[in-house]
Amino acid sequence: MNVQESSSSNDAVEESAPSVEGGEIARASLDELETLVSCPDRLSDDWQAWEMIRDLSVGRMRNEDLGADVQLRWVRLALVANRLKRRSGRFDAASILVDDVYVQVFAIYRFGPRCDDPVLGPVETCRAVFREIHERLDDVVAATKAWSSLTKQEILRLRRIKNLLNILAPIMQFIPQEAPEYQALSQWLQIVPRLP
């Protein structure tokens, strides 16, 4: 079952979905977890369950003993679980984005880009990061010149930018050189060594 499909019946979900206990989630099959996330109201406020599903999915997506199609299902499950985790309100959007970008960059690098698949789209992944940064390159460069005098919050912001850029770097090769995102990412990556 595709992660983004919804179940035709709540009764069917109740019968086949795994228990929300941590041990049961860890032993659940991919099909069972996809069914569980297709009916998120069962765990609507259980951010720890979504975190567990995401962590499990990240581990399984990296398992090269699984076929590419199965690994991609784990990729999609990780992204859905992360989105559901965001609903709890316990995590800021930036930390959720870091997790999403990590998963997507892994998938793009491992399986190659696909313009018809938003999960495997390097250009859209870059756009999401640039939207999160929402600062001009010149302003960030200026901040790096005296970063030791910045507040703790401002330093953390620069570190988050550095982290996002480092995660993105491996997929630059998949972005068409004529795309504006290629030029933008190239310029941003040049300042990474100057970020705290």
Side-chain angles (χ1 to χ4, degrees):
M1 177 178 171
N2 187 306
V3 171
Q4 294 167 359
E5 292 175 3
S6 59
S7 177
S8 58
S9 158
N10 282 341
D11 292 336
V13 170
E14 289 298 322
E15 290 172 11
S16 63
S19 163
V20 298
E21 296 299 317
E24 293 300 311
I25 286 175
R27 289 188 294 274
S29 71
L30 176 55
D31 287 336
E32 289 173 319
L33 293 174
E34 287 173 331
T35 299
L36 183 61
V37 301
S38 73
C39 186
D41 290 344
R42 291 195 66 221
L43 299 173
S44 60
D45 59 352
D46 190 352
W47 64 269
Q48 291 170 318
W50 301 129
E51 174 92 349
M52 187 175 298
I53 292 169
R54 184 217 170 264
D55 289 348
L56 179 68
S57 299
V58 167
R60 301 267 168 87
M61 77 181 188
R62 299 177 67 85
N63 183 348
E64 294 185 11
D65 292 336
L66 301 174
D69 57 332
V70 175
Q71 285 180 280
L72 276 169
R73 286 172 65 193
W74 283 110
V75 164
R76 294 180 199 291
L77 182 61
L79 294 170
V80 172
N82 206 41
R83 186 184 75 232
L84 293 169
K85 187 175 83 167
R86 181 187 311 140
R87 287 187 189 175
S88 72
R90 292 175 173 260
F91 304 88
D92 64 14
S95 67
I96 295 288
L97 179 65
V98 167
D99 288 345
D100 281 350
V101 171
Y102 171 79
V103 169
Q104 288 183 266
V105 166
F106 169 83
I108 293 165
Y109 194 79
R110 171 78 173 84
F111 306 109
R114 297 184 194 165
C115 59
D116 61 337
D117 187 338
V119 170
L120 298 173
V123 170
E124 186 49 46
T125 302
C126 278
R127 287 179 186 155
V129 169
F130 295 151
R131 281 192 300 269
E132 167 55 29
I133 291 174
H134 69 265
E135 291 181 49
R136 291 176 351 121
L137 179 63
D138 292 344
D139 294 338
V140 174
V141 168
T144 65
K145 291 178 180 171
W147 70 264
S148 59
S149 64
L150 298 175
T151 67
K152 183 178 177 182
Q153 260 331 88
E154 291 167 327
I155 291 171
L156 288 174
R157 180 77 184 139
L158 292 178
R159 286 187 178 149
R160 182 162 280 154
I161 290 171
K162 182 178 186 175
N163 190 22
L164 282 167
L165 293 171
N166 280 329
I167 294 170
L168 268 185
I171 62 166
M172 186 166 174
Q173 63 182 304
F174 299 114
I175 302 170
Q177 291 188 11
E178 65 276 10
E181 291 78 12
Y182 181 91
Q183 183 64 31
L185 182 55
S186 177
Q187 292 174 338
W188 278 101
L189 289 175
Q190 290 175 31
I191 72 161
V192 165
R194 295 153 64 181
L195 292 168

